[in-house]
Amino acid sequence: MAVLTISRQIASLGDEISMLIAKKLNYSFVGRAEIEERIVKLGFPREKLHKYDDKKPGFFASLSKDRDEYLDYLQTAILETAARNNCVIVGRGSFIILKELKNHISLRFIADRKIRIERYMNKFNTDEKTAIKKLEESDSNTMGFHKSFFNFDNRDPSLYHLVLNTGLIDMDSIADSITNLVQKSITKEKEDSGIRRLETLLIGQRLVNMLVFDYGLNINYLRVEMKNGKIVLHGVADSSAIVNRALTIVGCELPEYEIESAISIVQDFKAYGR
């Protein structure tokens, strides 16, 4: 019926409430571990995850081709997960990746800093100084991740359907209100529309993966836009030959679409180091 995405501050009970919502709706819960495993199975090296997963990449990591590969695999994993429908997906920019879906509800869980510090201290049996440090690191990493990969400020409330303060509302009340929201607001029409759009997004992402991973075309920041029977390729390449090759491949794969290029050609473009 619906796809729910969760953004949460550390120690805001975001994971716990998300699992409770999934249980009440009889939806599948998809957390960090499952998304990471899917990214690795798709082809991204496990040993490189720590450079990108839920954090802003360091200077050299941000210039590496691994950065774009991680994003391609991440988006594929999120889109494939959403294709199951009836699921609750936690973190990893899922609320941005799925923002076009009509059957998508994005939620953010926050809490007062003092409450979060107390929760962290109790959960991990640590002192206040350590808890404050961990909260600041987590908040900074999460903000950096969303800014670096999606150019969004994850703290912006306008990005979400609801922002809920878990220090003021108990878990059961939050879960009950979200369950009611899903059941009343997600119609069959919205679900069908979301499914159709998701199918298109998946086709676009798989085209990106095919061009980059299968054919090894050196098109940086490659993105595929699909609307109204037209496919537009975006990105940066260093020659028109590469662009023409991409257009030919996509045209052969999807001959029913009109294919256009919005790829910028920059001679001797060197975006990445190894």
Side-chain angles (χ1 to χ4, degrees), residues 53 58 63 99 151 161 229:
D53 200 41
L63 297 178
K99 61 185 175 65
N151 197 28
H161 289 81

Side-chain angles (χ1 to χ4, degrees), residues 124-192:
F124 295 101
N125 191 28
T126 188
D127 58 78
E128 182 176 1
K129 183 178 180 180
T130 300
I132 291 173
K133 181 180 178 182
K134 291 296 184 182
L135 261 63
E136 290 176 348
E137 287 179 352
S138 176
D139 290 348
S140 177
N141 280 334
T142 302
M143 183 173 65
F145 171 84
H146 288 88
K147 194 69 176 176
S148 175
F149 285 104
F150 304 105
N151 197 28
F152 280 93
D153 185 342
N154 64 304
R155 302 166 300 176
D156 181 356
S158 69
L159 298 173
Y160 308 96
H161 289 81
L162 282 175
V163 178
L164 296 146
N165 188 330
T166 66
L168 301 177
I169 313 172
D170 65 271
M171 288 177 55
D172 269 312
S173 296
I174 291 174
D176 285 340
S177 66
I178 299 305
T179 300
N180 185 57
L181 172 66
V182 171
Q183 292 171 342
K184 289 190 174 182
S185 67
I186 303 300
T187 63
K188 183 66 165 59
E189 181 181 5
K190 287 183 178 180
E191 182 180 18
D192 291 343

Side-chain angles (χ1 to χ4, degrees), residues 47-223:
E47 64 271 16
K48 294 182 179 180
L49 271 178
H50 71 279
K51 295 181 180 180
Y52 304 98
D53 200 41
D54 205 24
K55 66 173 65 174
K56 179 180 179 179
F59 177 75
F60 289 108
S62 66
L63 297 178
S64 169
K65 200 172 184 67
D66 291 337
R67 184 259 182 208
D68 268 15
E69 290 184 1
Y70 169 81
L71 180 58
D72 288 338
Y73 287 130
L74 170 63
Q75 292 181 147
T76 304
I78 295 296
L79 291 170
E80 288 181 348
T81 299
R84 304 177 197 172
N85 212 351
N86 296 354
C87 57
V88 179
I89 306 173
V90 177
R92 302 304 174 276
S94 53
F95 71 96
I96 299 168
I97 297 169
L98 303 176
K99 61 185 175 65
E100 295 183 33
L101 306 186
K102 297 294 186 183
N103 63 330
H104 165 230
I105 294 177
S106 55
L107 308 169
R108 178 162 171 79
F109 298 125
I110 63 171
D112 180 79
R113 185 171 182 270
K114 183 178 179 181
I115 292 174
R116 293 170 63 210
I117 291 170
E118 290 175 355
R119 285 175 177 169
Y120 192 95
M121 290 171 60
N122 292 333
K123 182 175 182 178
F124 295 101
N125 191 28
T126 188
D127 58 78
E128 182 176 1
K129 183 178 180 180
T130 300
I132 291 173
K133 181 180 178 182
K134 291 296 184 182
L135 261 63
E136 290 176 348
E137 287 179 352
S138 176
D139 290 348
S140 177
N141 280 334
T142 302
M143 183 173 65
F145 171 84
H146 288 88
K147 194 69 176 176
S148 175
F149 285 104
F150 304 105
N151 197 28
F152 280 93
D153 185 342
N154 64 304
R155 302 166 300 176
D156 181 356
S158 69
L159 298 173
Y160 308 96
H161 289 81
L162 282 175
V163 178
L164 296 146
N165 188 330
T166 66
L168 301 177
I169 313 172
D170 65 271
M171 288 177 55
D172 269 312
S173 296
I174 291 174
D176 285 340
S177 66
I178 299 305
T179 300
N180 185 57
L181 172 66
V182 171
Q183 292 171 342
K184 289 190 174 182
S185 67
I186 303 300
T187 63
K188 183 66 165 59
E189 181 181 5
K190 287 183 178 180
E191 182 180 18
D192 291 343
S193 173
I195 290 172
R196 289 193 300 270
R197 184 56 185 157
L198 182 57
E199 289 173 350
T200 301
L201 291 173
L202 269 169
I203 292 171
Q205 186 60 51
R206 285 166 180 163
L207 283 175
V208 170
N209 296 349
M210 178 182 66
L211 294 171
V212 173
F213 302 131
D214 297 341
Y215 286 92
L217 297 187
N218 188 26
I219 304 174
N220 298 300
Y221 319 120
L222 180 60
R223 180 172 61 86

